[in-house]
mmCIF file of all heavy atoms in Angstrom:
data_model
loop_
_atom_site.group_PDB
_atom_site.id
_atom_site.type_symbol
_atom_site.label_atom_id
_atom_site.label_comp_id
_atom_site.label_asym_id
_atom_site.label_seq_id
_atom_site.Cartn_x
_atom_site.Cartn_y
_atom_site.Cartn_z
ATOM 1 N N THR R 1 49.553 86.895 74.655
ATOM 2 C CA THR R 1 49.188 85.951 75.608
ATOM 3 C C THR R 1 48.360 86.527 76.740
ATOM 4 O O THR R 1 48.545 87.473 77.262
ATOM 5 C CB THR R 1 50.406 85.326 76.312
ATOM 6 O OG1 THR R 1 51.304 84.665 75.401
ATOM 7 C CG2 THR R 1 50.056 84.202 77.346
ATOM 8 N N LEU R 2 47.122 85.852 76.893
ATOM 9 C CA LEU R 2 46.189 86.358 77.719
ATOM 10 C C LEU R 2 46.564 85.614 79.198
ATOM 11 O O LEU R 2 46.485 84.342 79.262
ATOM 12 C CB LEU R 2 44.760 86.190 77.508
ATOM 13 C CG LEU R 2 44.353 86.521 76.036
ATOM 14 C CD1 LEU R 2 42.879 86.266 75.783
ATOM 15 C CD2 LEU R 2 44.625 88.030 76.010
ATOM 16 N N LEU R 3 46.676 86.319 80.244
ATOM 17 C CA LEU R 3 47.082 85.606 81.536
ATOM 18 C C LEU R 3 45.981 85.842 82.604
ATOM 19 O O LEU R 3 45.478 86.843 82.723
ATOM 20 C CB LEU R 3 48.329 86.309 81.982
ATOM 21 C CG LEU R 3 49.673 86.014 81.336
ATOM 22 C CD1 LEU R 3 50.659 87.058 81.479
ATOM 23 C CD2 LEU R 3 50.224 84.701 81.750
ATOM 24 N N ALA R 4 45.882 84.793 83.422
ATOM 25 C CA ALA R 4 45.001 84.972 84.552
ATOM 26 C C ALA R 4 45.707 85.740 85.572
ATOM 27 O O ALA R 4 46.887 85.895 85.659
ATOM 28 C CB ALA R 4 44.814 83.462 85.243
ATOM 29 N N ASP R 5 44.973 86.619 86.324
ATOM 30 C CA ASP R 5 45.466 87.530 87.332
ATOM 31 C C ASP R 5 46.351 86.780 88.388
ATOM 32 O O ASP R 5 47.404 87.318 88.874
ATOM 33 C CB ASP R 5 44.426 88.180 87.998
ATOM 34 C CG ASP R 5 43.623 89.253 87.201
ATOM 35 O OD1 ASP R 5 44.157 89.664 86.126
ATOM 36 O OD2 ASP R 5 42.451 89.610 87.530
ATOM 37 N N SER R 6 46.026 85.503 88.718
ATOM 38 C CA SER R 6 46.690 84.789 89.624
ATOM 39 C C SER R 6 48.148 84.473 89.283
ATOM 40 O O SER R 6 49.069 84.049 90.124
ATOM 41 C CB SER R 6 45.965 83.565 90.082
ATOM 42 O OG SER R 6 45.717 82.640 88.936
ATOM 43 N N VAL R 7 48.538 84.625 87.996
ATOM 44 C CA VAL R 7 49.895 84.204 87.340
ATOM 45 C C VAL R 7 50.693 85.304 86.830
ATOM 46 O O VAL R 7 51.770 85.079 86.429
ATOM 47 C CB VAL R 7 49.752 82.859 86.601
ATOM 48 C CG1 VAL R 7 49.021 81.739 87.228
ATOM 49 C CG2 VAL R 7 48.999 83.298 85.288
ATOM 50 N N LYS R 8 49.874 86.395 86.691
ATOM 51 C CA LYS R 8 50.622 87.592 86.010
ATOM 52 C C LYS R 8 51.791 87.881 86.726
ATOM 53 O O LYS R 8 51.901 87.920 87.939
ATOM 54 C CB LYS R 8 49.719 88.799 86.044
ATOM 55 C CG LYS R 8 48.568 88.747 84.929
ATOM 56 C CD LYS R 8 47.778 89.982 84.899
ATOM 57 C CE LYS R 8 46.691 89.836 83.873
ATOM 58 N NZ LYS R 8 45.698 90.873 83.810
ATOM 59 N N GLY R 9 53.008 88.075 86.016
ATOM 60 C CA GLY R 9 54.370 88.328 86.521
ATOM 61 C C GLY R 9 55.119 87.216 86.930
ATOM 62 O O GLY R 9 56.292 87.249 87.248
ATOM 63 N N ARG R 10 54.466 86.126 86.806
ATOM 64 C CA ARG R 10 55.136 84.779 87.304
ATOM 65 C C ARG R 10 55.232 83.827 86.159
ATOM 66 O O ARG R 10 56.087 82.940 86.007
ATOM 67 C CB ARG R 10 54.493 84.155 88.469
ATOM 68 C CG ARG R 10 54.413 85.050 89.734
ATOM 69 C CD ARG R 10 53.876 84.349 91.003
ATOM 70 N NE ARG R 10 52.633 83.807 90.786
ATOM 71 C CZ ARG R 10 52.276 82.570 91.005
ATOM 72 N NH1 ARG R 10 53.278 81.627 91.172
ATOM 73 N NH2 ARG R 10 51.028 82.178 90.807
ATOM 74 N N PHE R 11 54.196 83.684 85.332
ATOM 75 C CA PHE R 11 54.164 82.715 84.246
ATOM 76 C C PHE R 11 54.005 83.396 82.959
ATOM 77 O O PHE R 11 53.571 84.464 82.753
ATOM 78 C CB PHE R 11 52.632 81.903 84.367
ATOM 79 C CG PHE R 11 52.586 80.941 85.484
ATOM 80 C CD1 PHE R 11 53.409 80.961 86.670
ATOM 81 C CD2 PHE R 11 51.609 79.958 85.615
ATOM 82 C CE1 PHE R 11 53.320 80.208 87.704
ATOM 83 C CE2 PHE R 11 51.462 79.203 86.636
ATOM 84 C CZ PHE R 11 52.360 79.206 87.707
ATOM 85 N N THR R 12 54.747 82.669 81.946
ATOM 86 C CA THR R 12 54.683 83.094 80.593
ATOM 87 C C THR R 12 54.359 81.866 79.759
ATOM 88 O O THR R 12 54.760 80.877 80.115
ATOM 89 C CB THR R 12 55.884 83.869 80.209
ATOM 90 O OG1 THR R 12 57.069 82.905 80.385
ATOM 91 C CG2 THR R 12 56.243 85.074 81.031
ATOM 92 N N GLY R 13 53.917 82.234 78.492
ATOM 93 C CA GLY R 13 53.699 81.197 77.578
ATOM 94 C C GLY R 13 54.326 81.452 76.229
ATOM 95 O O GLY R 13 54.616 82.633 75.902
ATOM 96 N N SER R 14 54.647 80.480 75.590
ATOM 97 C CA SER R 14 55.315 80.614 74.222
ATOM 98 C C SER R 14 55.077 79.433 73.287
ATOM 99 O O SER R 14 54.767 78.309 73.701
ATOM 100 C CB SER R 14 56.787 80.835 74.337
ATOM 101 O OG SER R 14 57.415 79.638 74.931
ATOM 102 N N LYS R 15 55.029 79.777 71.998
ATOM 103 C CA LYS R 15 54.837 78.819 71.062
ATOM 104 C C LYS R 15 56.246 78.612 70.227
ATOM 105 O O LYS R 15 56.925 79.667 69.882
ATOM 106 C CB LYS R 15 53.904 79.203 69.999
ATOM 107 C CG LYS R 15 52.365 78.924 70.390
ATOM 108 C CD LYS R 15 51.664 79.217 69.154
ATOM 109 C CE LYS R 15 50.107 79.120 69.410
ATOM 110 N NZ LYS R 15 49.197 79.369 68.208
ATOM 111 N N ASP R 16 56.647 77.364 69.880
ATOM 112 C CA ASP R 16 57.828 77.194 69.074
ATOM 113 C C ASP R 16 57.227 76.329 67.803
ATOM 114 O O ASP R 16 56.932 75.186 67.928
ATOM 115 C CB ASP R 16 58.672 76.320 69.869
ATOM 116 C CG ASP R 16 60.004 76.139 69.077
ATOM 117 O OD1 ASP R 16 60.040 76.186 67.776
ATOM 118 O OD2 ASP R 16 61.124 75.911 69.634
ATOM 119 N N ASN R 17 57.035 77.205 66.796
ATOM 120 C CA ASN R 17 56.410 76.527 65.511
ATOM 121 C C ASN R 17 57.447 75.517 64.853
ATOM 122 O O ASN R 17 56.974 74.570 64.209
ATOM 123 C CB ASN R 17 56.068 77.613 64.517
ATOM 124 C CG ASN R 17 54.896 78.527 65.149
ATOM 125 O OD1 ASN R 17 54.146 78.096 65.939
ATOM 126 N ND2 ASN R 17 54.951 79.758 64.558
ATOM 127 N N VAL R 18 58.608 75.731 65.116
ATOM 128 C CA VAL R 18 59.531 74.719 64.612
ATOM 129 C C VAL R 18 59.549 73.329 65.162
ATOM 130 O O VAL R 18 59.461 72.322 64.534
ATOM 131 C CB VAL R 18 61.124 75.327 64.575
ATOM 132 C CG1 VAL R 18 62.105 74.264 64.110
ATOM 133 C CG2 VAL R 18 61.101 76.516 63.798
ATOM 134 N N GLN R 19 59.483 73.447 66.595
ATOM 135 C CA GLN R 19 59.289 72.227 67.403
ATOM 136 C C GLN R 19 57.880 71.810 67.504
ATOM 137 O O GLN R 19 57.620 70.569 67.924
ATOM 138 C CB GLN R 19 59.875 72.460 68.766
ATOM 139 C CG GLN R 19 61.404 72.773 68.750
ATOM 140 C CD GLN R 19 62.271 71.587 68.336
ATOM 141 O OE1 GLN R 19 61.865 70.394 68.554
ATOM 142 N NE2 GLN R 19 63.334 71.836 67.681
ATOM 143 N N ASN R 20 56.917 72.527 66.956
ATOM 144 C CA ASN R 20 55.628 72.353 67.202
ATOM 145 C C ASN R 20 55.163 71.994 68.633
ATOM 146 O O ASN R 20 54.552 71.065 68.839
ATOM 147 C CB ASN R 20 55.176 71.096 66.342
ATOM 148 C CG ASN R 20 53.623 71.174 65.797
ATOM 149 O OD1 ASN R 20 53.177 72.395 65.628
ATOM 150 N ND2 ASN R 20 53.051 70.050 65.464
ATOM 151 N N THR R 21 55.715 72.866 69.423
ATOM 152 C CA THR R 21 55.567 72.614 70.929
ATOM 153 C C THR R 21 55.212 74.097 71.609
ATOM 154 O O THR R 21 55.543 75.082 71.144
ATOM 155 C CB THR R 21 56.823 72.158 71.524
ATOM 156 O OG1 THR R 21 57.091 70.847 70.853
ATOM 157 C CG2 THR R 21 56.687 72.005 73.069
ATOM 158 N N VAL R 22 54.405 74.013 72.531
ATOM 159 C CA VAL R 22 54.068 75.109 73.349
ATOM 160 C C VAL R 22 54.582 74.929 74.759
ATOM 161 O O VAL R 22 54.488 73.821 75.331
ATOM 162 C CB VAL R 22 52.430 75.218 73.287
ATOM 163 C CG1 VAL R 22 52.149 76.590 74.005
ATOM 164 C CG2 VAL R 22 51.922 75.404 71.815
ATOM 165 N N TYR R 23 54.903 76.058 75.361
ATOM 166 C CA TYR R 23 55.635 75.983 76.566
ATOM 167 C C TYR R 23 54.918 76.801 77.618
ATOM 168 O O TYR R 23 54.324 77.840 77.376
ATOM 169 C CB TYR R 23 57.037 76.472 76.541
ATOM 170 C CG TYR R 23 58.023 75.693 75.596
ATOM 171 C CD1 TYR R 23 58.193 76.029 74.351
ATOM 172 C CD2 TYR R 23 58.464 74.377 76.030
ATOM 173 C CE1 TYR R 23 58.906 75.269 73.390
ATOM 174 C CE2 TYR R 23 59.164 73.685 75.266
ATOM 175 C CZ TYR R 23 59.426 74.127 73.871
ATOM 176 O OH TYR R 23 60.203 73.374 73.049
ATOM 177 N N LEU R 24 55.034 76.439 78.820
ATOM 178 C CA LEU R 24 54.428 77.202 79.949
ATOM 179 C C LEU R 24 55.705 77.400 80.927
ATOM 180 O O LEU R 24 56.092 76.356 81.542
ATOM 181 C CB LEU R 24 53.242 76.546 80.687
ATOM 182 C CG LEU R 24 52.864 77.254 81.922
ATOM 183 C CD1 LEU R 24 52.287 78.526 81.744
ATOM 184 C CD2 LEU R 24 51.790 76.325 82.629
ATOM 185 N N GLN R 25 56.187 78.573 81.034
ATOM 186 C CA GLN R 25 57.269 78.823 82.033
ATOM 187 C C GLN R 25 56.714 79.422 83.150
ATOM 188 O O GLN R 25 56.015 80.441 83.148
ATOM 189 C CB GLN R 25 58.357 79.887 81.374
ATOM 190 C CG GLN R 25 59.538 80.167 82.245
ATOM 191 C CD GLN R 25 60.432 79.038 82.509
ATOM 192 O OE1 GLN R 25 60.762 78.353 81.401
ATOM 193 N NE2 GLN R 25 60.693 78.684 83.758
ATOM 194 N N MET R 26 56.987 78.708 84.357
ATOM 195 C CA MET R 26 56.476 79.137 85.617
ATOM 196 C C MET R 26 57.637 79.456 86.641
ATOM 197 O O MET R 26 58.626 78.630 86.695
ATOM 198 C CB MET R 26 55.572 77.935 86.197
ATOM 199 C CG MET R 26 54.549 77.514 85.360
ATOM 200 S SD MET R 26 53.539 76.159 86.062
ATOM 201 C CE MET R 26 54.781 74.801 86.150
ATOM 202 N N SER R 27 57.448 80.647 87.246
ATOM 203 C CA SER R 27 58.467 80.997 88.169
ATOM 204 C C SER R 27 57.857 81.515 89.393
ATOM 205 O O SER R 27 56.662 81.665 89.525
ATOM 206 C CB SER R 27 59.424 82.108 87.585
ATOM 207 O OG SER R 27 58.590 83.224 87.187
ATOM 208 N N SER R 28 58.612 81.658 90.451
ATOM 209 C CA SER R 28 58.069 82.156 91.870
ATOM 210 C C SER R 28 56.947 81.322 92.257
ATOM 211 O O SER R 28 55.874 81.711 92.650
ATOM 212 C CB SER R 28 57.721 83.561 91.713
ATOM 213 O OG SER R 28 58.768 84.454 91.367
ATOM 214 N N LEU R 29 57.096 80.033 92.080
ATOM 215 C CA LEU R 29 56.015 79.107 92.364
ATOM 216 C C LEU R 29 55.541 79.177 93.752
ATOM 217 O O LEU R 29 56.390 79.265 94.633
ATOM 218 C CB LEU R 29 56.327 77.698 91.822
ATOM 219 C CG LEU R 29 56.192 77.473 90.365
ATOM 220 C CD1 LEU R 29 57.093 76.279 89.889
ATOM 221 C CD2 LEU R 29 54.786 77.378 89.963
ATOM 222 N N LYS R 30 54.260 78.991 94.061
ATOM 223 C CA LYS R 30 53.681 78.976 95.310
ATOM 224 C C LYS R 30 52.920 77.597 95.520
ATOM 225 O O LYS R 30 52.480 77.035 94.610
ATOM 226 C CB LYS R 30 52.702 80.019 95.380
ATOM 227 C CG LYS R 30 53.080 81.366 95.002
ATOM 228 C CD LYS R 30 52.020 82.442 95.031
ATOM 229 C CE LYS R 30 52.550 83.791 94.585
ATOM 230 N NZ LYS R 30 51.464 84.797 94.636
ATOM 231 N N PRO R 31 52.851 77.194 96.818
ATOM 232 C CA PRO R 31 52.014 75.937 96.985
ATOM 233 C C PRO R 31 50.584 75.934 96.396
ATOM 234 O O PRO R 31 50.196 74.777 95.896
ATOM 235 C CB PRO R 31 51.928 75.938 98.581
ATOM 236 C CG PRO R 31 53.152 76.725 99.054
ATOM 237 C CD PRO R 31 53.360 77.820 98.126
ATOM 238 N N GLU R 32 50.029 76.965 96.188
ATOM 239 C CA GLU R 32 48.681 77.106 95.658
ATOM 240 C C GLU R 32 48.799 76.972 94.204
ATOM 241 O O GLU R 32 47.626 76.848 93.534
ATOM 242 C CB GLU R 32 47.904 78.373 95.936
ATOM 243 C CG GLU R 32 48.758 79.652 95.703
ATOM 244 C CD GLU R 32 49.456 80.228 96.946
ATOM 245 O OE1 GLU R 32 49.961 79.348 97.824
ATOM 246 O OE2 GLU R 32 49.447 81.493 97.168
ATOM 247 N N ASP R 33 49.932 76.827 93.491
ATOM 248 C CA ASP R 33 50.044 76.516 92.050
ATOM 249 C C ASP R 33 50.024 74.928 91.930
ATOM 250 O O ASP R 33 49.886 74.593 90.747
ATOM 251 C CB ASP R 33 51.291 77.006 91.500
ATOM 252 C CG ASP R 33 51.337 78.447 91.545
ATOM 253 O OD1 ASP R 33 50.433 79.204 91.123
ATOM 254 O OD2 ASP R 33 52.462 79.139 91.914
ATOM 255 N N THR R 34 50.052 74.268 92.989
ATOM 256 C CA THR R 34 49.996 72.829 92.978
ATOM 257 C C THR R 34 48.617 72.388 92.208
ATOM 258 O O THR R 34 47.460 72.796 92.612
ATOM 259 C CB THR R 34 50.038 72.100 94.211
ATOM 260 O OG1 THR R 34 51.221 72.454 94.825
ATOM 261 C CG2 THR R 34 49.738 70.594 94.160
ATOM 262 N N ALA R 35 48.705 71.536 91.098
ATOM 263 C CA ALA R 35 47.621 71.153 90.348
ATOM 264 C C ALA R 35 48.020 70.295 89.119
ATOM 265 O O ALA R 35 49.225 70.148 88.912
ATOM 266 C CB ALA R 35 46.844 72.420 89.646
ATOM 267 N N ASN R 36 47.113 69.670 88.478
ATOM 268 C CA ASN R 36 47.289 69.114 87.332
ATOM 269 C C ASN R 36 47.220 70.158 86.111
ATOM 270 O O ASN R 36 46.260 70.845 86.126
ATOM 271 C CB ASN R 36 46.192 67.881 86.925
ATOM 272 C CG ASN R 36 46.602 66.610 87.523
ATOM 273 O OD1 ASN R 36 47.670 66.148 87.179
ATOM 274 N ND2 ASN R 36 45.888 66.079 88.520
ATOM 275 N N TYR R 37 48.181 70.178 85.377
ATOM 276 C CA TYR R 37 48.264 71.226 84.267
ATOM 277 C C TYR R 37 48.031 70.621 82.907
ATOM 278 O O TYR R 37 48.490 69.471 82.541
ATOM 279 C CB TYR R 37 49.658 71.859 84.336
ATOM 280 C CG TYR R 37 49.770 72.947 85.375
ATOM 281 C CD1 TYR R 37 49.897 72.533 86.637
ATOM 282 C CD2 TYR R 37 49.692 74.310 85.165
ATOM 283 C CE1 TYR R 37 50.040 73.426 87.730
ATOM 284 C CE2 TYR R 37 49.766 75.211 86.139
ATOM 285 C CZ TYR R 37 49.978 74.786 87.395
ATOM 286 O OH TYR R 37 50.021 75.708 88.435
ATOM 287 N N TYR R 38 47.197 71.231 82.152
ATOM 288 C CA TYR R 38 46.718 70.684 80.865
ATOM 289 C C TYR R 38 46.937 71.765 79.859
ATOM 290 O O TYR R 38 46.701 72.862 80.071
ATOM 291 C CB TYR R 38 45.294 70.352 80.902
ATOM 292 C CG TYR R 38 44.787 69.293 81.983
ATOM 293 C CD1 TYR R 38 44.512 69.701 83.254
ATOM 294 C CD2 TYR R 38 44.708 67.963 81.534
ATOM 295 C CE1 TYR R 38 44.072 68.860 84.159
ATOM 296 C CE2 TYR R 38 44.302 67.139 82.588
ATOM 297 C CZ TYR R 38 43.986 67.535 83.807
ATOM 298 O OH TYR R 38 43.563 66.651 84.876
ATOM 299 N N CYS R 39 47.340 71.249 78.547
ATOM 300 C CA CYS R 39 47.296 72.255 77.380
ATOM 301 C C CYS R 39 46.029 71.807 76.524
ATOM 302 O O CYS R 39 45.678 70.614 76.695
ATOM 303 C CB CYS R 39 48.610 72.125 76.640
ATOM 304 S SG CYS R 39 49.018 70.712 75.922
ATOM 305 N N ALA R 40 45.483 72.923 75.830
ATOM 306 C CA ALA R 40 44.361 72.560 74.989
ATOM 307 C C ALA R 40 44.378 73.538 73.927
ATOM 308 O O ALA R 40 45.009 74.658 74.005
ATOM 309 C CB ALA R 40 42.967 72.695 75.859
ATOM 310 N N ALA R 41 43.659 73.133 72.787
ATOM 311 C CA ALA R 41 43.703 73.974 71.635
ATOM 312 C C ALA R 41 42.302 74.157 71.081
ATOM 313 O O ALA R 41 41.406 73.459 71.332
ATOM 314 C CB ALA R 41 44.554 73.219 70.539
ATOM 315 N N THR R 42 42.180 75.256 70.353
ATOM 316 C CA THR R 42 40.961 75.584 69.637
ATOM 317 C C THR R 42 41.414 76.291 68.223
ATOM 318 O O THR R 42 42.273 77.049 68.281
ATOM 319 C CB THR R 42 40.044 76.501 70.515
ATOM 320 O OG1 THR R 42 38.833 76.835 69.590
ATOM 321 C CG2 THR R 42 40.639 77.775 70.805
ATOM 322 N N ASP R 43 40.551 76.095 67.223
ATOM 323 C CA ASP R 43 40.850 76.758 65.978
ATOM 324 C C ASP R 43 40.084 78.136 65.968
ATOM 325 O O ASP R 43 40.113 78.995 65.090
ATOM 326 C CB ASP R 43 40.467 75.984 64.854
ATOM 327 C CG ASP R 43 39.164 75.569 64.730
ATOM 328 O OD1 ASP R 43 38.266 76.032 65.619
ATOM 329 O OD2 ASP R 43 38.787 74.817 63.785
ATOM 330 N N ARG R 44 39.386 78.439 67.116
ATOM 331 C CA ARG R 44 38.763 79.824 67.205
ATOM 332 C C ARG R 44 39.711 80.695 67.785
ATOM 333 O O ARG R 44 40.898 80.767 67.456
ATOM 334 C CB ARG R 44 37.329 79.556 68.130
ATOM 335 C CG ARG R 44 36.311 78.792 67.327
ATOM 336 C CD ARG R 44 35.104 78.787 68.156
ATOM 337 N NE ARG R 44 35.143 77.937 69.369
ATOM 338 C CZ ARG R 44 35.214 76.533 69.366
ATOM 339 N NH1 ARG R 44 34.964 75.864 68.315
ATOM 340 N NH2 ARG R 44 35.368 76.050 70.507
ATOM 341 N N SER R 45 39.337 81.455 68.948
ATOM 342 C CA SER R 45 40.095 82.608 69.477
ATOM 343 C C SER R 45 40.297 82.338 70.931
ATOM 344 O O SER R 45 39.354 81.654 71.547
ATOM 345 C CB SER R 45 39.594 83.833 69.154
ATOM 346 O OG SER R 45 40.120 84.935 69.913
ATOM 347 N N CYS R 46 41.315 82.903 71.483
ATOM 348 C CA CYS R 46 41.400 82.857 73.025
ATOM 349 C C CYS R 46 40.278 83.719 73.575
ATOM 350 O O CYS R 46 39.910 83.493 74.828
ATOM 351 C CB CYS R 46 42.764 83.589 73.431
ATOM 352 S SG CYS R 46 44.273 82.534 73.193
ATOM 353 N N TYR R 47 39.683 84.518 72.813
ATOM 354 C CA TYR R 47 38.653 85.384 73.347
ATOM 355 C C TYR R 47 37.208 84.685 73.337
ATOM 356 O O TYR R 47 36.323 85.045 73.753
ATOM 357 C CB TYR R 47 38.512 86.666 72.632
ATOM 358 C CG TYR R 47 39.841 87.593 72.897
ATOM 359 C CD1 TYR R 47 40.804 87.553 71.854
ATOM 360 C CD2 TYR R 47 39.833 88.466 73.921
ATOM 361 C CE1 TYR R 47 41.948 88.345 72.066
ATOM 362 C CE2 TYR R 47 40.973 89.233 74.139
ATOM 363 C CZ TYR R 47 42.079 89.076 73.210
ATOM 364 O OH TYR R 47 43.128 89.924 73.420
#
């Protein structure tokens, strides 16, 4: 998982291939984390 510096140590991501679902676990949330959150996909690479 590639993480933005602003969320390192607080957010993690995971895939559940059985449930066909992807998760964003957020902890130690701050007011500046307030936003609309979107998931998105590509068949290329995170890079």
Side-chain angles (χ1 to χ4, degrees):
T1 301
L2 309 181
L3 288 156
D5 288 343
S6 58
V7 303
K8 281 181 180 176
R10 302 189 299 122
F11 289 14
T12 58
S14 61
K15 279 186 179 183
D16 185 333
N17 293 333
V18 174
Q19 297 295 325
N20 209 29
T21 299
V22 180
Y23 299 100
L24 173 64
Q25 179 68 50
M26 305 183 291
S27 60
S28 302
L29 282 161
K30 306 174 182 179
E32 51 263 42
D33 295 317
T34 295
N36 276 301
Y37 283 73
Y38 303 87
C39 62
T42 179
D43 60 2
R44 293 183 295 276
S45 163
C46 287
Y47 293 97

